[in-house]
Amino acid sequence: MASVIGGTGSFFGPWKENHAWAQGAAKPIKLGLTCDASGQYGNSGQDDFRGIKMAIDEINAKGGVLGRQVTFITADTETTPATGSRVAERFITREDCTILIGALHSGVANAITQVASKYGVIYMNTNSSAPSEAGENCSRVKFVWDGNGTNFSKASVKNSVDSIGKNWMLLTNDYVWGRTTSAATKAQVEAAGGKIVDNLLVPQNTRDFTAYLLKIQQAKPDVVATAIGGDDIKALREQVAQLKLDGKPAWINNQQDWPDVWGAPDSLFGVFGTTWYHKLPLPGVAEFVKKWQAANKDGPIPVPGNVSYNGYMSTRELLRAIERAGSTNNVKIIKELENLKVSATDRMQHFDAYMDPVTHQMQQTIYLARRNAKPADNTDLFEIISWTEPKSAADDAAPGKCKLTPYEQVPTVDS
């Protein structure tokens, strides 16, 4: 009871909310966390939540933002666009949330974007990586924090065409992230002088990849480039290993999210992209890992990965932007985020990062990795083999596709 009166209590149920504060204290800033807890990206959604919550707890321990504590409510968006839309609508219209944070599935993220844009509510898309999220589906109120399919393709494809071979097959989750990522890969392959011999479209929630793998065996491509995510990629990796196809052809997996890898590390193969790794030999990384572990002692994953990192970084930079703006007015915060620059040291990456004011995508270091043959411990699953600076990995097509609403047409929102 004392903790509730003092403002530290939590209330749990179908909707989880931190909403108690001390009598007479300033009204908290309330965030709506749109994190999957079930479906294809349920594991990653909860890892996203762990990073977001860590950033919130850190700022509250320092006295909050503008003298106000930060509270949140969260609900399972179920890796389903319709659910994401309903959750966003409820958070804004019934729960008085003035900022939304979260998402893995790009279809869910786009559904949330439509709701947020209607009301002028800022939306921090933490982990959706379809190129369309910062392209044709961009929004003045949305900021995209993950690398996208084009970024990872630009970091990997040309060198692979030159060094491995020109005949490629694509294996694609049949939804917006898979399709737009494979389209970006195709463009990069053809620009490098290669050709796509086939693109195999895979429905979401596929668990038996036998038919697809037989087609790959028969076609004998030099490289297979996958855009398969969540629980689907775990099933694919296991079956590729069982059929001993993990050596030849060569495999490029556009991005591997840490929660998916941790669930089945023995089947990890090929070259893949990421935005961060917990053993990068960079300032601040070891300290961040220790803080994250202290905040998540009872969690199912022992160390942070790219998903939790993106959740933490997006939330931290949002709260810093509110401080710099000196206001919770949405347009003032948006303008601060559009001018965001973060040093390599502060980002715990190899290069400085910056927010693209035209597309609202965070431009950051893109890493390529493969399975670590000589791990230092049981969490040391990746061998980082290259890092690409933001400008070299930038999605050049996105600015031409993104049309941001003028500031004066954004509905005013203030916490």
Side-chain angles (χ1 to χ4, degrees), residues 276 280-288 343-350:
W276 190 78
L280 288 173
L282 296 174
V285 173
E287 292 79 7
F288 176 79
S343 71
T345 299
D346 207 13
R347 281 283 294 180
M348 299 179 290
Q349 292 179 320
H350 277 75

Side-chain angles (χ1 to χ4, degrees), residues 8 18 69 101 157 165 172 265 313 321 331 338:
T8 60
N18 287 7
Q69 290 286 288
I101 308 177
V157 167
T172 304
M313 283 289 172
V331 173
E338 287 176 339

Side-chain angles (χ1 to χ4, degrees), residues 32 46 180 235 346 360 366:
Q46 290 308 286
T180 54
D346 207 13
H360 284 196
I366 297 295

Side-chain angles (χ1 to χ4, degrees), residues 86-340:
R86 287 195 301 271
V87 167
E89 186 83 28
R90 176 165 180 165
F91 280 178
I92 294 168
T93 63
R94 297 177 61 184
E95 302 293 342
D96 196 29
C97 296
T98 54
I99 298 171
L100 305 180
I101 308 177
L104 269 293
H105 187 288
S106 296
V108 175
N110 186 39
I112 294 168
T113 303
Q114 303 311 308
V115 178
S117 297
K118 178 173 67 173
Y119 294 104
V121 167
I122 292 171
Y123 171 40
M124 309 294 272
N125 177 356
T126 51
N127 275 287
S128 300
S129 50
S132 54
E133 278 299 284
E136 56 267 37
N137 293 334
C138 71
S139 171
R140 179 69 72 180
V141 302
K142 176 172 66 179
F143 293 86
V144 180
W145 292 84
D146 198 7
N148 71 27
T150 300
N151 303 144
F152 292 113
S153 293
K154 289 188 73 172
S156 62
V157 167
K158 186 180 187 307
N159 181 63
S160 297
V161 170
D162 293 342
S163 62
I164 300 172
K166 297 183 182 299
N167 293 321
W168 288 50
M169 285 185 76
L170 305 177
L171 193 60
T172 304
N173 256 154
D174 193 9
Y175 78 99
V176 61
W177 167 72
R179 292 192 298 269
T180 54
T181 293
S182 283
T185 301
K186 179 177 183 291
Q188 294 297 318
V189 169
E190 292 175 347
K195 67 177 181 178
I196 304 298
V197 298
D198 204 354
N199 182 10
L200 306 179
L201 294 177
V202 180
Q204 291 180 79
N205 301 310
T206 292
R207 294 297 175 267
D208 184 357
F209 286 84
T210 303
Y212 304 100
L213 295 176
L214 287 174
K215 287 182 179 180
I216 291 170
Q217 281 183 312
Q218 292 165 359
K220 296 185 168 85
D222 299 312
V223 180
V224 178
T226 74
I228 307 288
D231 291 341
D232 291 7
I233 190 65
K234 289 190 283 188
L236 172 63
R237 291 202 317 258
E238 290 172 0
Q239 289 166 49
V240 168
Q242 289 167 2
L243 291 174
K244 302 188 185 309
L245 288 174
D246 48 333
K248 191 173 182 180
W251 292 78
I252 295 179
N253 299 306
N254 192 267
Q255 182 178 195
Q256 296 282 270
D257 286 335
W258 184 250
D260 301 331
V261 173
W262 184 254
D266 292 339
S267 61
L268 188 62
F269 64 87
V271 173
F272 47 88
T274 190
T275 53
W276 190 78
Y277 184 52
H278 71 284
K279 287 187 178 291
L280 288 173
L282 296 174
V285 173
E287 292 79 7
F288 176 79
V289 172
K290 288 179 182 177
K291 286 194 300 183
W292 187 94
Q293 289 174 323
N296 297 284
K297 293 177 182 177
D298 300 321
I301 300 177
V303 292
N306 63 302
V307 174
S308 211
Y309 166 85
N310 284 340
Y312 173 86
M313 283 289 172
S314 63
T315 307
R316 187 192 74 177
E317 295 304 333
L318 164 73
L319 299 174
R320 287 179 174 181
I322 295 172
E323 286 280 12
R324 291 195 303 274
S327 171
T328 52
N329 173 271
N330 60 335
V331 173
K332 290 182 179 179
I333 299 168
I334 287 168
K335 289 180 178 180
E336 284 294 335
L337 288 169
E338 287 176 339
N339 291 309
L340 179 64

